Amino acid sequence: ELIIAVIILLILAVLVFLIYRSNIKLDITRYSVSDKNIPKSFDGFLIAQISDFHNTRSKAVQEQIISALLESEPDIIVLTGDFIDYYRTDTDISLEFLRRLIPVAPVYYIMGNHEARIDEYPKFCSSAERLGAKTLDDCLVSVVRGNDKIDIVGVKDPYFYKEYEPAPECRIDILSEKLKSLLQTGESYTVLLSHRPELAELYADLGVDLALCGHAHGGQFRLPYIGGVFSPSQGLFPKYTCGLYETDGKITIVSRGIGNSSFPFRINNSPELVLVKLENKNADSPEH
């Protein structure tokens, strides 16, 4: 019995260690996206994506992010929703972290479902703008290099369109119409910032070249050979949890995010900083 008890205690100790490590060890995931529509002057353009920060209190994770950003020197930083948290709202933490991001590179910020539920959000948004972040509230901005440009499109989470509840089909229709209208004004390679990864096929159908999303938290608990266990809006064993997905030549990249919310911890699913490098692919050159 003593041996069995010791074995059980060792297993529990290993599990506790793995859970602890899964919540404080930052993963840095790098992607290269090659497309003939990426202007030559944007070849090598680096986008750093931070998603689902949820005003994390982990200083260890925050310091790893800042260190990785300073080392990688991104051209822009994008925040793809839920930068603040509804359940444990502390806008001061998020604003202080944002203050540290601003000197690294231009910051573009979109709203997630948690921002839609927080009364302090309008004040937070104003503070973020004063710090120097660009909040993309259903709008398009262009990033210019020489005579070339790419378009950055940001859409609000569907929860903004009505009182908070699981998003019905009509909200997705509203998002679709707003995005379609924004894309009609653009004429360049398009990078979409949208919180919702489950709409990847919609983004591709509308002609988005590259969509950067979050929300799924990597499935929160990840099982070997299976993947994420649960995601808001997708339920059990969701399709879009993390990684690169291709639909008809259009790309969606889903970040596992940084913080936690209603689930207070992760298992086998470390916080993730995503780095996306754009590459100009000459139409006459072979795939690389």
Side-chain angles (χ1 to χ4, degrees), residues 176-190:
S176 176
E177 288 303 313
K178 286 182 176 291
L179 180 54
K180 187 184 301 183
S181 175
L182 290 170
L183 293 173
Q184 287 174 350
T185 67
E187 53 187 27
S188 306
Y189 184 85
T190 302

Side-chain angles (χ1 to χ4, degrees), residues 127-185:
S127 298
E129 289 272 359
R130 283 196 297 273
L131 286 176
K134 175 63 178 177
T135 56
L136 299 185
D137 187 358
D138 291 336
C139 66
L140 177 151
V141 297
S142 295
V143 177
V144 178
R145 275 190 166 185
N147 295 323
D148 297 322
K149 67 183 180 75
I150 61 173
D151 292 329
I152 311 292
V153 178
V155 290
K156 290 189 297 189
D157 189 84
Y159 281 159
F160 271 92
Y161 300 136
K162 287 186 179 180
E163 184 178 352
Y164 178 81
E165 60 180 330
E169 194 65 31
C170 65
R171 292 189 185 184
I172 305 305
D173 291 341
I174 294 172
L175 183 148
S176 176
E177 288 303 313
K178 286 182 176 291
L179 180 54
K180 187 184 301 183
S181 175
L182 290 170
L183 293 173
Q184 287 174 350
T185 67

Side-chain angles (χ1 to χ4, degrees), residues 12 28 34-35 43 68 72 78 89 103 115 126 168 171 173 184 197 200 223 232 251 268:
L12 289 174
I28 302 171
S34 182
D35 194 308
D43 187 62
S72 59
V78 299
T89 304
E115 280 89 351
S126 298
R171 292 189 185 184
D173 291 341
Q184 287 174 350
L223 301 177
I251 302 296
N268 193 33

Side-chain angles (χ1 to χ4, degrees), residues 14 38 51 70-71 74 94 101 123 129-130 153 155 159 177 189 195 205 210 212 229 254 258-259 267 272:
V14 170
I38 295 172
S51 196
L70 291 173
E71 182 178 349
S94 294
L101 297 178
K123 182 179 178 181
E129 289 272 359
R130 283 196 297 273
V153 178
V155 290
Y159 281 159
E177 288 303 313
Y189 184 85
H195 193 54
D205 288 343
L210 170 63
L212 301 177
V229 173
V254 184
I258 298 297
I267 297 178
E272 180 183 43

Side-chain angles (χ1 to χ4, degrees), residues 7-269:
I7 292 173
I8 291 174
L9 286 174
L10 286 173
I11 292 173
L12 289 174
V14 170
L15 285 175
V16 169
F17 172 75
L18 290 175
I19 292 173
Y20 174 75
R21 187 180 185 279
S22 292
N23 287 268
I24 68 162
K25 176 64 172 66
L26 180 72
D27 282 348
I28 302 171
T29 307
R30 294 174 171 84
Y31 300 98
S32 292
V33 175
S34 182
D35 194 308
K36 60 182 175 58
N37 293 321
I38 295 172
K40 288 184 178 180
S41 59
F42 281 85
D43 187 62
F45 189 85
L46 188 64
I47 303 171
Q49 180 192 8
I50 298 172
S51 196
D52 299 88
F53 182 71
H54 287 286
N55 48 249
T56 181
R57 290 167 169 78
S58 173
K59 294 294 185 182
V61 171
Q62 291 186 28
E63 293 305 321
Q64 289 173 82
I65 295 170
I66 296 299
S67 178
L69 290 173
L70 291 173
E71 182 178 349
S72 59
E73 298 182 331
D75 292 286
I76 62 172
I77 299 169
V78 299
L79 312 178
T80 49
D82 288 0
F83 196 60
I84 47 183
D85 185 78
Y86 170 72
Y87 297 103
R88 296 179 299 276
T89 304
D90 192 330
T91 58
D92 289 342
I93 289 176
S94 294
L95 284 172
E96 181 54 36
F97 186 68
L98 179 60
R99 194 188 312 274
R100 299 183 67 187
L101 297 178
I102 295 296
V104 178
V107 175
Y108 298 88
Y109 170 42
I110 62 160
M111 305 78 179
N113 54 297
H114 277 248
E115 280 89 351
R117 303 173 66 184
I118 296 172
D119 292 337
E120 299 95 325
Y121 171 70
K123 182 179 178 181
F124 175 85
C125 191
S126 298
S127 298
E129 289 272 359
R130 283 196 297 273
L131 286 176
K134 175 63 178 177
T135 56
L136 299 185
D137 187 358
D138 291 336
C139 66
L140 177 151
V141 297
S142 295
V143 177
V144 178
R145 275 190 166 185
N147 295 323
D148 297 322
K149 67 183 180 75
I150 61 173
D151 292 329
I152 311 292
V153 178
V155 290
K156 290 189 297 189
D157 189 84
Y159 281 159
F160 271 92
Y161 300 136
K162 287 186 179 180
E163 184 178 352
Y164 178 81
E165 60 180 330
E169 194 65 31
C170 65
R171 292 189 185 184
I172 305 305
D173 291 341
I174 294 172
L175 183 148
S176 176
E177 288 303 313
K178 286 182 176 291
L179 180 54
K180 187 184 301 183
S181 175
L182 290 170
L183 293 173
Q184 287 174 350
T185 67
E187 53 187 27
S188 306
Y189 184 85
T190 302
V191 178
L192 170 67
L193 312 183
S194 178
H195 193 54
R196 300 303 186 100
E198 68 269 21
L199 303 178
E201 293 182 9
L202 170 64
Y203 307 147
D205 288 343
L206 292 177
V208 170
D209 296 298
L210 170 63
L212 301 177
C213 307
H215 190 50
H217 289 212
Q220 201 67 41
F221 312 137
R222 295 191 66 80
L223 301 177
Y225 308 109
I226 294 176
V229 173
F230 178 81
S231 167
S233 308
Q234 296 184 70
L236 287 172
F237 306 109
K239 178 179 179 180
Y240 300 101
T241 59
C242 69
L244 185 150
Y245 304 84
E246 184 170 353
T247 304
D248 297 329
K250 306 299 184 182
I251 302 296
T252 296
I253 292 175
V254 184
S255 166
R256 296 199 307 268
I258 298 297
N260 298 308
S261 185
S262 53
F263 284 112
F265 60 89
R266 298 161 173 251
I267 297 178
N268 193 33
N269 178 29

